Amino acid sequence: MMIDIQDLQIRFGQGADAVTAVDGVTLSVREGESFGLVGESGSGKSTVLRAVSGLNDEWTGRIAVAGTEQGAKRPRGFYKLCQMVFQDPYGSLHPRHTVDRILAEPIAIHGLGDADARIVRVLRDVGLGPAFRFRYPHQLSGGQRQRVAIARALVLEPRVLLLDEPTSALDVSVQAEILNLLRRLRAEHGLTLVLVTHNLAVVANLCDRLAVMNRGRLVEEMTVEELRRGAAREPYTLQLLRASQGYDRATAESFRDYA
Amino acid sequence: MTARSDIPPAGWRDWLTTDTPQSRTQARLGRAWAGWTAFRRNRLAVAGLLIVLALVVVAALAPVLAPYHPYAQDLNGRLLPPSLAHWLGTDAFGRDILSRLIHGARLTLMIVALVAATAPLAGLAIGTAAGYFGGWVDTVLMRITDIALAFPKLILALAFVAALGPGIENAVIAIAITSWPPYARIARAETLTVRHADFISAARLQGASSLRIILGHIMPLCVASLIVRTTLDMAGVILTAAGLGFLGLGAQPPLPEWGAMIANGRQYVLEQWWVAAMPGLAIFIVSLGFNLLGDGLRDVLDPKGD
Amino acid sequence: MTDDAPLLEVSNLRVAFPTRTGMAEAVRGVSFTLGREKLGIVGESGSGKSMTGRSILRLVPPPGRVSADRLAFRGEDLLAASPRRLRDIRGRRIAMVMQDPKYSLNPVMTVGRQIAEAYRVHSHAGAAEAKRRALEMLAAVRIRDPERVYDRYPHEVSGGMGQRIMIAMMLIPGPDLLIADEPTSALDVTVQMQVLAILDDLCSQRGMGMIFVSHDLNLVASFCDRILIMYAGRVVESCRASELHTATHPYTRGLLASLPRIGEPPGDLPVLSRDPAWLTAGLEA
Ligand SMILES: Nc1ncnc2c1ncn2[C@@H]1O[C@H](COP(=O)(O)OP(=O)(O)O)[C@@H](O)[C@H]1O
Ligand SMILES: Nc1ncnc2c1ncn2[C@@H]1O[C@H](COP(=O)(O)OP(=O)(O)O)[C@@H](O)[C@H]1O
Ligand SMILES: [Mg+2]
Ligand SMILES: [Mg+2]
C-alpha cells in the first residue's frame, strides 16, 4: 500500500463553532494506482489531502505513506516522497519568483546537486521549453502556470503526487492538455496519483478507482469501470452522476439533500 | 560555439522587454525596466526623485558647492539680507546661510539614511515573524508594538534624547526606536494576507524551514509596501530631527542642522525673516521630494488599485 | 417601442480597451438577435463573453469603450439612451446576475431588505407590500425558510443560497431580459441544477428572454435553446443547442472533443490546435 488512511478525523474550531470536516475516513491507495476523491465543495476532500501531505497537523487516526506511519510533523525526507499540486494556478506560484527560482528552491532545500540540469529536464518533462525558464508567473497563461506547479512537484522525483482540483480553474482545452500530461508522467515515473475533484468525468479519464465523499464521510468506493457503467450503490453517488450529465428539468426536481 | 546568449539581440530595449529572458540577470533587469517605465510616466514622482537625487549630490559635493565655510563667522556682516555675495543672506553670526544649508544636507541625508537602514528592517523582521508564526509569538510581539505605538513619536524621542543626552547620534537612535512600530504593523498585515497562500503551502511542502520561508518568500512581498512607507515617512523623520534640533536636543551648535538653524533664526523672524525661512524652505522642499517619490513608488511597487 | 420587435438586436458590437500598445479589442464585431429564448454564449476564458454581456447594459468597466452599429432593446437604441433612461432599463427591464454573489450584495443590509428595496425602487410599492413580494420571491427561488433568510446578512448565507438570493433580487422587478454571467459556475452540480431549474421556470412562465454566459459546453447545450460560440472576441459559430454535436467549426469541434466523458474509456484527449485563420474569419449570426 502506498497510502493507508484509517479512521481519519479532522475538526476545525472549538466549542460550539467546531466543524468536523473529516469524519472517520478510511481508504488506501496501492502503489502506482491513480485514485480519485470526489464530492461536492465542503465535503472534506482537500482537508484529507492536506492531512496526508503534512500541511495540516490537527488530525487523529492513522496515516501511513509508503509503509511508514506519519505523525503531525514530517521529516524532511517525507517531502521527497510525496508532493502536492494545488487548484489555483494563480495562487500557487510566488508572484516575485521566476520559474527558475521556483524550481531551484526545492533543489536547494534538499541539497541536491546539478540544479541546472534538473531544471531543464523537468521543464522539458512538463512540456515547457527552456524559453519559459526565466519568466515570471504573470508572463504565463493558466495552463503554463499549472505545468510549472507540476514541474515544481516533480523536481524532487516523488513517488506520490497529490492533486487538488488541478484542472478546475482551467479551460477545457487546457484541461485536456494537463490530463494528458499527468497520464504520461504517471506512466513514465511510475507515480501514485491521488486526484481530488468534483468532476466525475475527469476521474473517469485519469483514475482507476475512486471514493465519493459527502459532508466529511466516505460514502462509497468504486472502480472507474463501475462508474462508467453507472453502477453506483449509494443514492448520493447516483445523484452526483445524474447531475454530471447536464441539465434536465425533471432530474433537477428530484434532487434532495443527503446528510 | 562562440554565441553568447547574454548579448542583446536587436536593441537593449527589446532585450529588456522580451517575454523570454535568457538568464536570471535579464529577467531581473527586465522587471526593473518595467518598473522604471511605469514610474517615469508619473511626472510628479520623477520630480520627487530629482529632488532626492539633488539632495544626495549637494551632500556629496558640499565642500565644492558651498561658497563659504559653514562655520566662518563675520560679525560685521550679521543678518544680511539675501544679496549677490550671500544668496540666502547671513545669520546672527554672519555665517553664510546657503553654505550652511549645503553642509546641512549632509546631516539631513545621514539622519534619513540611518533611520531608513534600521527602523524598517527591525519592523520587517518583527512583523513578518509575528504574522507568520501567529499564536503567542504574535501576541507578545504585537503587544510590544502596540505599546511603542501608543506614545506620540516626538515625545518618546524627547524622552530618549533626554535620557541619552542631546546630540545628533542620539537623535537618530531615538527616531529609529520610535519609528519601527508602524513598519512592523505593515509587515505583519502583508504577512497575514499571504501566509495561507498556496505558494507558501507549496514551500512548506518542499521542506523549507520557517526562516527560509520568511526570508525568501514572505519578505520579498512585504518590502514593496515598506519601501513606499519608508519613503513617505522620510519627510516626517526630517521634521522630527529638525524638531529635536529646534528644541536644542538634536544637533548641537555649530553643526548646520536645518532644524537648529530655524531655532537660531526664530528671534529675528519678523525683521530678518530669511534666517529662519531659508532652512524652513529647504526642509519643505526635501520633505516634498520624498513624499512625491513615495507616491510614485506606491503606484509602481504596490499596484493594489488595479 | 413595438411589441413585435425582437427583445434584443446587436449588430457589429465592439469593445476595446486602450493599452500601452494601442487599442486591444475584447469583442470584435459580434451580431445577434434575441427573442424570448435562452441564448447561450460559450467560449474559453478571455474570449469576450462577459464583455458582450456587460456591454448590453453599458456596464463595461472603464476605460473600455463600446461601439455597435445597432444595440437595441425592444427597438429602443441603448447606445443613445440617456443615463436616466439607462438606469430605468437596468434592473427593471434588463437584469444581470454575476458569478460571485458576494460582490453584488450589500454586506451591511439584510438580504430580505435588499430584495424589498429592489422591488420598491421600480414599483413605488409600500414597505409591507414590498416585504410580501420579497418573501414570495425567496420562496420562488426555493429557499426553504424565507422568513428566516429574510433577516440574514449576506455573509450568513452559503454560496448557493447567496446566488439564489441574488437571482431573487434581480428577478423581482420582473425584467424582460436576464443576462446571467456564469451564474452557477461557483456552485456544486446539484445546486447548479436547482438554480438552473428556477431560471428555466421563470423563462417559460414569464416569457423572459435570457443570455446565459458560460464556459461549460455541456451545460449550455442541455440548458439553452440556441448557442453562440465565441473565440477571441468573435462569434465563430452559432447553432441550435440540440444540434451542438453536429457543429462544423473546428474550434467548436475541438472544444467538444477535449471534454472528458464519464462513459468513455481512459486515454489521451484530443488537444485543440488553434488555427490563426479563426481570428479573422468570423461568422455573422
Ligand atoms: N482551515 C479551516 N478552518 C476552518 N474550517 C475549515 C478549514 N479548512 C476547511 N474547513 C471546513 O472543512 C470543510 C471541508 O472543507 P474542504 O476539505 O476544503 O472541502 P472540499 O475540498 O471537499 O471542497 C468545510 O466545511 C470547510 O468549511
Ligand atoms: N479592464 C480591462 N483592461 C484591458 N483588457 C481587458 C479588461 N477587462 C477585460 N479585458 C480583456 O477583454 C477580454 C475579454 O474578457 P471577458 O469578456 O471577461 O472574457 P470571458 O468572460 O470570455 O472570460 C480579455 O482578453 C481581457 O484581456
Ligand atoms: Mg477543495
Ligand atoms: Mg467572464
Side-chain angles (χ1 to χ4, degrees):
Chain A
M1 281 303 148
M2 198 50 157
I3 298 175
D4 199 16
I5 301 175
Q6 263 163 41
D7 198 24
L8 185 65
Q9 289 261 359
I10 303 173
R11 294 164 65 80
F12 291 108
Q14 248 119 53
D17 298 333
V19 237
T20 306
V22 176
D23 193 2
V25 165
T26 297
L27 62 87
S28 44
V29 182
R30 283 188 286 276
E31 169 144 32
E33 190 175 31
S34 173
F35 188 86
L37 199 54
V38 300
E40 300 188 281
S41 68
S43 58
K45 312 179 295 291
S46 299
T47 307
V48 170
L49 218 57
R50 292 170 75 88
V52 174
S53 70
L55 274 180
N56 180 344
D57 48 18
E58 303 261 319
W59 47 268
T60 60
R62 181 175 176 271
I63 297 178
V65 180
T68 316
E69 189 130 345
Q70 302 294 336
K73 291 267 172 291
R74 305 293 156 88
R76 185 170 286 184
F78 173 82
Y79 301 114
K80 281 205 71 187
L81 174 70
C82 178
Q83 278 291 321
M84 180 157 162
V85 175
F86 297 87
Q87 166 173 6
D88 178 13
Y90 289 86
S92 70
L93 303 182
H94 197 289
R96 296 280 159 100
H97 288 177
T98 58
V99 173
D100 177 66
R101 167 93 195 266
I102 289 168
L103 298 178
E105 189 79 354
I107 299 175
I109 291 169
H110 290 266
L112 311 175
D114 221 4
D116 254 359
R118 278 177 198 269
I119 291 172
V120 171
R121 179 161 13 113
V122 81
L123 273 179
R124 189 160 2 96
D125 237 7
V126 297
L128 292 175
F132 291 91
R133 182 164 168 194
F134 297 104
R135 290 204 196 175
Y136 285 94
H138 71 262
Q139 296 170 312
L140 303 174
S141 70
Q144 288 164 347
R145 285 173 195 230
Q146 203 58 307
R147 283 172 195 265
V148 172
I150 294 173
R152 172 178 59 193
L154 286 180
V155 96
L156 291 174
E157 297 171 1
R159 291 163 67 197
V160 182
L161 204 52
L162 308 174
L163 304 154
D164 192 356
E165 311 248 12
T167 61
S168 300
L170 305 175
D171 280 316
V172 287
S173 57
V174 184
Q175 166 172 281
E177 292 173 18
I178 297 291
L179 291 177
N180 293 350
L181 170 69
L182 289 170
R183 177 176 305 100
R184 176 169 65 75
L185 292 172
R186 178 190 168 204
E188 285 175 6
H189 300 266
L191 290 170
T192 305
L193 299 184
V194 180
L195 174 76
V196 159
T197 178
H198 63 269
N199 189 335
L200 287 172
V202 166
V203 168
N205 182 262
L206 195 65
C207 297
D208 311 319
R209 222 150 50 83
L210 69 146
V212 180
M213 285 187 72
N214 183 28
R215 308 209 177 178
R217 292 215 178 80
L218 211 68
V219 176
E220 174 163 17
E221 268 191 75
M222 61 203 291
T223 65
V224 162
E225 207 34 63
E226 288 168 319
L227 172 72
R228 231 170 262 134
R229 279 188 277 116
R233 287 173 296 274
E234 295 295 323
Y236 178 75
T237 315
L238 285 166
Q239 174 169 315
L240 216 53
L241 258 169
R242 256 181 291 134
S244 310
Q245 317 271 282
Y247 172 77
D248 180 77
R249 182 70 192 79
T251 314
E253 200 63 56
S254 72
F255 289 158
R256 45 173 292 236
D257 271 353
Y258 291 89
Chain B
M1 293 287 270
T2 52
R4 284 228 343 254
S5 58
D6 277 9
I7 290 175
W12 54 274
R13 200 184 290 261
D14 293 339
W15 185 78
L16 282 170
T17 53
T18 177
D19 258 350
T20 53
Q22 300 295 314
S23 69
R24 246 156 262 187
T25 327
Q26 190 182 356
R28 221 170 277 143
L29 288 176
R31 200 186 162 86
W33 174 254
W36 168 243
T37 315
F39 181 83
R40 218 174 29 177
R41 256 177 286 147
N42 185 338
R43 292 264 171 83
L44 286 175
V46 173
L49 178 67
L50 289 179
I51 292 175
V52 172
L53 284 179
L55 176 72
V56 174
V57 170
V58 166
L61 302 178
V64 182
L65 292 178
Y68 301 87
H69 191 276
Y71 300 161
Q73 302 188 3
D74 175 7
L75 295 179
N76 292 326
R78 300 170 66 236
L79 300 172
L80 293 179
S83 65
L84 276 180
H86 299 278
W87 289 5
L88 303 183
T90 62
D91 69 4
F93 296 98
R95 295 175 296 199
D96 180 51
I97 292 179
L98 177 64
S99 301
R100 286 179 67 73
L101 283 183
I102 289 175
H103 280 269
R106 295 188 148 188
L107 293 175
T108 302
L109 196 65
M110 184 191 77
I111 294 167
V112 163
L114 285 178
V115 173
T118 49
L121 287 185
L124 181 63
I126 291 170
T128 49
Y132 182 71
F133 291 110
W136 65 266
V137 178
D138 187 30
T139 313
V140 170
L141 290 178
M142 279 304 118
R143 282 307 78 75
I144 296 173
T145 311
D146 283 344
I147 292 168
L149 210 49
F151 289 98
K153 207 157 136 185
L154 190 60
I155 308 258
L156 196 60
L158 271 176
F160 274 108
V161 174
L164 299 169
I168 195 154
E169 299 82 5
N170 291 345
V172 167
I173 294 172
I175 293 173
I177 288 177
T178 53
S179 48
W180 65 267
Y183 301 118
R185 297 221 133 240
I186 294 171
R188 175 175 177 271
E190 295 273 333
T191 307
L192 288 182
T193 62
V194 297
R195 170 183 166 195
H196 292 295
D198 283 348
F199 58 83
I200 299 296
S201 295
R204 285 172 57 199
L205 282 187
Q206 285 151 13
S209 63
S210 299
L211 186 65
R212 190 180 184 99
I213 291 177
I214 291 178
L215 286 178
H217 297 252
I218 292 184
M219 280 190 180
L221 295 172
C222 301
V223 287
S225 40
L226 281 190
I227 289 177
V228 171
R229 179 63 193 254
T230 308
T231 316
L232 290 173
D233 278 357
M234 282 311 127
V237 168
I238 293 170
L239 290 175
T240 311
L244 288 174
F246 181 83
L247 294 172
L249 296 168
Q252 295 301 300
L255 282 180
E257 199 274 325
W258 295 351
M261 288 172 68
I262 299 182
N264 290 336
R266 105 193 131 198
Q267 316 158 21
Y268 321 108
V269 80
L270 291 180
E271 280 86 37
Q272 287 87 21
W273 52 269
W274 57 90
V275 182
M278 292 307 170
L281 194 63
I283 292 174
F284 168 74
I285 290 174
V286 172
S287 305
L288 184 69
F290 274 108
N291 263 328
L292 294 177
L293 177 63
D295 272 337
L297 286 176
R298 170 159 46 210
D299 295 342
V300 177
L301 296 173
D302 214 17
K304 292 238 170 66
D306 299 6
Chain C
M1 197 196 293
T2 51
D3 244 14
D4 51 345
L7 212 47
L8 189 72
E9 294 161 83
V10 178
S11 165
N12 195 22
L13 174 71
R14 288 172 183 274
V15 179
F17 289 92
T19 68
R20 238 180 296 165
T21 51
M23 296 298 272
E25 287 209 292
V27 178
R28 308 183 301 147
V30 164
S31 306
F32 62 89
T33 48
L34 178 83
R36 301 195 175 277
E37 60 181 334
K38 289 174 287 187
L39 176 73
I41 301 184
V42 284
E44 291 173 291
S45 57
S47 56
K49 307 182 296 292
S50 297
M51 290 306 147
T52 303
R54 284 168 162 266
S55 56
I56 294 164
L57 278 179
R58 306 260 301 276
L59 287 175
V60 169
R65 290 203 212 117
V66 179
S67 69
D69 290 351
R70 185 161 171 78
L71 185 62
F73 172 68
R74 305 181 101 195
E76 180 178 356
D77 187 357
L78 288 175
L79 286 175
S82 68
R84 231 191 106 204
R85 177 74 189 131
L86 213 55
R87 264 202 308 280
D88 199 40
I89 291 175
R90 254 181 230 157
R92 179 139 77 160
R93 316 303 305 274
I94 307 180
M96 181 148 188
V97 180
M98 316 254 198
Q99 178 164 356
D100 193 343
K102 290 258 152 33
Y103 293 118
S104 313
L105 292 171
N106 180 347
V108 296
M109 203 196 265
T110 64
V111 297
R113 262 199 59 207
Q114 292 187 52
I115 301 174
E117 287 297 322
Y119 182 63
R120 291 184 64 184
V121 166
H122 294 290
S123 69
H124 311 289
E129 160 77 359
K131 175 162 186 178
R132 196 179 57 74
R133 289 294 313 263
L135 287 172
E136 273 175 26
M137 202 64 216
L138 282 173
V141 294
R142 311 275 161 73
I143 283 180
R144 250 169 253 151
D145 196 350
E147 303 270 352
R148 242 185 52 220
V149 173
Y150 189 94
D151 290 320
R152 297 246 180 110
Y153 287 90
H155 69 269
E156 296 174 313
V157 301
S158 68
M161 202 184 275
Q163 195 59 289
R164 279 181 269 185
I165 288 165
M166 189 64 213
I167 290 172
M169 194 165 110
M170 285 304 158
L171 293 178
I172 200 167
D176 301 316
L177 170 61
L178 176 69
I179 301 169
D181 188 355
E182 312 252 4
T184 58
S185 296
L187 305 181
D188 282 321
V189 269
T190 47
V191 182
Q192 181 174 26
M193 294 307 151
Q194 285 165 339
V195 169
L196 289 182
I198 297 161
L199 293 179
D200 200 2
D201 289 352
L202 288 165
C203 284
S204 50
Q205 286 161 14
R206 296 190 182 180
M208 185 175 72
M210 177 158 156
I211 295 179
F212 186 82
V213 171
S214 173
H215 64 273
D216 189 333
L217 267 111
N218 273 337
L219 189 69
V220 171
S222 54
F223 178 69
C224 294
D225 304 314
R226 204 152 58 86
I227 305 184
L228 305 180
I229 295 113
M230 286 191 71
Y231 180 74
R234 285 169 170 266
V235 174
V236 293
E237 181 158 20
S238 93
C239 63
R240 299 208 55 76
S242 53
E243 288 157 10
L244 180 65
H245 57 277
T246 63
T248 52
H249 196 279
Y251 175 67
T252 318
R253 300 217 58 82
L255 278 189
L256 282 170
S258 64
L259 275 176
R261 286 166 210 282
I262 294 179
E264 281 173 9
D268 273 3
L269 296 161
V271 170
L272 187 69
S273 54
R274 290 153 211 274
D275 185 344
W278 298 348
L279 292 176
T280 45
L283 179 145
E284 311 293 300

